[in-house]
Amino acid sequence: MAHLRPYPAAEKHMTPLDFPGTRVENWQQKGIEKLGEMLHKYRSLQVYMDICVKCGACADKCHYYLGTGDPNNMPVQRAELLRSVYRRYFTPAGKLFPKLVRATDFDETALQKWFTYFHQCSQCRRCSVFCPYGIDTAEISMAAREIMDAIGVGHKYTTEIVGKVHAIGNNLGIPGPALTGTLQFLEDDLLDNTGHEIRLPLDQEGADVLLVAPSADFFSEPHISSLMGYAKVFHQAGISFTISSFASEAANFGMFIGSFAQKQKIAKRIADKARELRVKRIVVGECGHAWRVAYSFWNTLNGPFDFLDPNYPVPQHICEFTHQLNERGALVFDKEANDDLTVTFHDSCNVARASRMGPSAGGQFEIPRALIRATTNKFVEMDADTIRERTFCCGGGGGLLTDELMDLRVRGVLPRITALKRVMEEDGVNYVALICAICKAQFNKMFPMYGIPMEAVGGVHALVNNAIQIGAKRGIV
Amino acid sequence: MLALIAYLALLTFVLGFGWRIWTYWRSPAPLKIPTTPAPVCKSGVVWRLFTEVAFFNSLFKGNKWTWLGGYLFHAALALVLIRHLRYFVQPLPEAFAYIQIAGIVAGLAMVGGLGFLLVRRFWVDRTRYISSFADYAILVLLLAIGISGLLMQFVFRPDIVEIKSAMLGWVTFQGFSTPEDALFVVHFLLVLVLMVIFPFSKLMHLGGIFFSPTRNQVDNPREQKHVNPWAVAE
């Protein structure tokens, strides 16, 4: 079927990431060796290869399985694609009785299945919520992608983007001068609309906060409205901030390809810039997997961040930042500014199931909702089976937000659309608030295909942007 | 002869199980990957693992029927195993008298649960698709062990004194001669087969669950630096 399989990477995409440019000659042997190495490096992989009992609890939890009906998209079966090769080469049962335990050789058929189906996983971890052992298919698909990269069988979209980050500083390849121009344009816009000089500073040494947003926030709708929301919050709170031209990207596609080295290298430029710009805090914008990498991995990858102000967690999510200011009375919101909207919240997978906000478990659900309630009058939840830790992926995560996978994306978004349509019909919802750049881009493209207006999606900080009263003062800062 | 097989099986089980646990133990967890929301302190993690092991929390969220069959089987198996201690302990503490009935009822429940799981595995399209010969074989083996045990309880009563002395000889490493009852020998041989395949099969979920990083990690990456032992500092 068309548009269900990604384009393979070319040599020019692979070599900048230190991967072989083309498929290596003894790829079977190399692949098996790499799998052996990964088993020694990742306890998750080793344990998850062994202990699945194939109970099937995960089978109907994957949005791609629900959307495509392809049995290879059942998380257990997806994992079996790797597990059957593991059994063949690393377990006595698979070496002696391959047929009885379904062990398979690492041959061309197996590799082609890997390439297709490990790129039909958005690493959203929904299956791991329901697994009695917490088996996380994200870990397994990351490992499979890393093995494929090691033998020169890469994925064009993700490797190309990582290359852009190394060369230019962000996923979209926006060079410094273009970024300067965009930010100036937005500042003028903000001045026209509010009458206040709300700044979007670039590379400003000595600012209090380094703001690291997904680069889509500088570039496309509906993302830009959130960027203006962030700027207004900083302005109103009187906290100076800066964007960095070279660390102008929160996203870290190193995670999608499973490479620890790439994750570390991509994250390092942000730590380096924070040091160089002598900021006191780092705040991350509305981006799902970026928040996972920042929250869960930064400390391991490039920590400790002992050069930053110890009074604040490192890093902070923009929702935590805004919420805290609002709790302290530093912001004034006019909820009526959003009265044309009936809002629902889509939990993005990496925020919901792979990170946290605030001091207690589940803060990643409560804080964004608190912000929505503070800025709007009409808030409605979708079906309980499709929100919070049970949320459905938008269908474009995990490095799959690429045109050649359009068919997969259209099918993968289906479970989310179904729940959304229900609240649209029953409660008059006309706006989906969320905090992930990939979800925004994916919904923006998918909604019209399902008869929903493109404008029905936007950031939580787009609501903040509408409701915040500039110049109003209340309480202390 | 049976004694020799029994000791080889015991050795395979103990060494094999230890080898897998050692493998899990020594493999590093390079990154913090708990499935969130996750406990923010160690005692919370202990509670999370306890609820997983004692109540199959996540499975309950995932599929009620599978939970029902799986829980029935595992809980019954636990009771059956406790009751079986009476064949390995001498003198017998008084407490064993009280669990005798519960253990026998559990034997029936265990076979019922296994039968349900087997039918389900075959009946539901999704689980049939993912099942290999080995997945069915393990269920059939457990069923055969359960049924042969129940037959000894309810139909063909063996000489329990002779069996107990053999089992005591086995676990105290004094050796034993093969009991005469054929049904018992079948029951015992099937258990030995189970012990041999245990470390090399999915049955390792018994030990593996405690090593699952998504379940056993504390959610505190910002507060405490988690070190990857094999990372090269850039």
Side-chain angles (χ1 to χ4, degrees), chain A residues 199-259:
Chain A
R199 304 241 15 242
L200 281 161
L202 192 64
D203 296 323
Q204 195 163 79
E205 255 184 69
D208 285 334
V209 173
L210 172 64
L211 173 71
V212 192
S215 56
D217 284 5
F218 308 122
F219 187 72
S220 49
E221 280 297 352
H223 306 70
I224 286 182
S225 308
S226 282
L227 179 67
M228 306 222 259
Y230 316 153
K232 286 181 184 174
V233 171
F234 281 108
H235 175 89
Q236 187 59 15
I239 297 171
S240 65
F241 78 106
T242 184
I243 293 161
S244 154
S245 53
F246 193 68
S248 51
E249 176 65 71
N252 189 327
F253 276 29
M255 186 177 93
F256 295 158
I257 60 174
S259 160

Side-chain angles (χ1 to χ4, degrees), chain A residues 50 54 125 128 134 300 303, chain B residues 20 24 33 135 214-215 225:
Chain A
D50 274 4
K54 297 201 243 167
R125 308 182 101 204
S128 90
T300 301
Chain B
R20 291 323 290 160
Y24 305 151
I33 59 164
D135 296 310
T214 56
R215 292 291 182 267
K225 179 176 163 133

Side-chain angles (χ1 to χ4, degrees), chain B:
Chain B
M1 183 61 188
L2 186 64
L4 180 67
I5 298 172
Y7 280 115
L8 285 176
L10 185 62
L11 191 72
T12 311
F13 175 73
V14 171
L15 290 183
F17 193 86
W19 161 65
R20 291 323 290 160
I21 295 296
W22 170 245
T23 306
Y24 305 151
W25 186 278
R26 66 154 189 215
S27 57
L31 290 164
K32 280 275 186 160
I33 59 164
T35 310
T36 59
V40 296
C41 60
K42 260 204 177 122
S43 54
V45 164
V46 171
W47 176 248
R48 183 184 202 176
L49 278 172
F50 172 76
T51 57
E52 288 294 356
V53 173
F55 309 117
F56 301 5
N57 244 12
S58 296
L59 182 58
F60 185 77
K61 280 188 242 172
N63 189 312
K64 299 288 186 282
W65 285 110
T66 311
W67 179 86
L68 189 71
Y71 197 76
L72 187 65
F73 160 61
H74 282 86
L77 175 65
L79 280 172
V80 167
L81 287 175
I82 292 170
R83 196 194 80 95
H84 269 67
L85 283 175
R86 64 166 44 237
Y87 306 123
F88 300 91
V89 178
Q90 185 68 16
L92 203 59
E94 207 183 316
F96 277 87
Y98 300 108
I99 56 162
Q100 180 68 359
I101 290 295
I104 293 168
V105 173
L108 291 164
M110 182 183 122
V111 169
L114 281 169
F116 177 84
L117 290 176
L118 183 62
V119 169
R120 180 185 180 277
R121 184 166 287 285
F122 183 74
W123 204 266
V124 178
D125 291 343
R126 292 193 300 265
T127 44
R128 187 172 60 243
Y129 187 89
I130 55 178
S131 299
S132 67
F133 174 85
D135 296 310
Y136 291 110
I138 286 174
L139 281 173
V140 170
L141 175 61
L142 286 163
L143 262 175
I145 292 170
I147 290 169
S148 56
L150 287 176
L151 281 176
M152 277 187 283
Q153 180 63 44
F154 292 113
V155 188
F156 309 105
R157 312 277 306 196
D159 179 352
I160 210 71
V161 177
E162 184 196 17
I163 289 173
K164 178 157 182 179
S165 94
M167 290 301 95
L168 275 173
W170 180 41
V171 295
T172 53
F173 297 97
Q174 287 163 353
F176 62 92
S177 50
T178 307
E180 286 202 1
D181 189 80
L183 190 54
F184 167 77
V185 174
V186 169
H187 183 71
F188 188 51
L189 271 173
L190 291 173
V191 172
L192 296 179
V193 171
L194 185 72
M195 288 170 72
V196 170
I197 64 167
F198 200 105
F200 310 103
S201 68
K202 65 180 187 179
L203 297 173
M204 276 311 294
H205 67 271
L206 168 68
I209 181 171
F210 299 100
F211 293 89
S212 174
T214 56
R215 292 291 182 267
N216 75 8
Q217 287 186 338
V218 181
D219 177 22
N220 62 352
R222 288 194 291 193
E223 292 77 16
Q224 211 173 316
K225 179 176 163 133
H226 174 83
V227 178
N228 173 4
W230 51 262
V232 189
E234 288 238 351

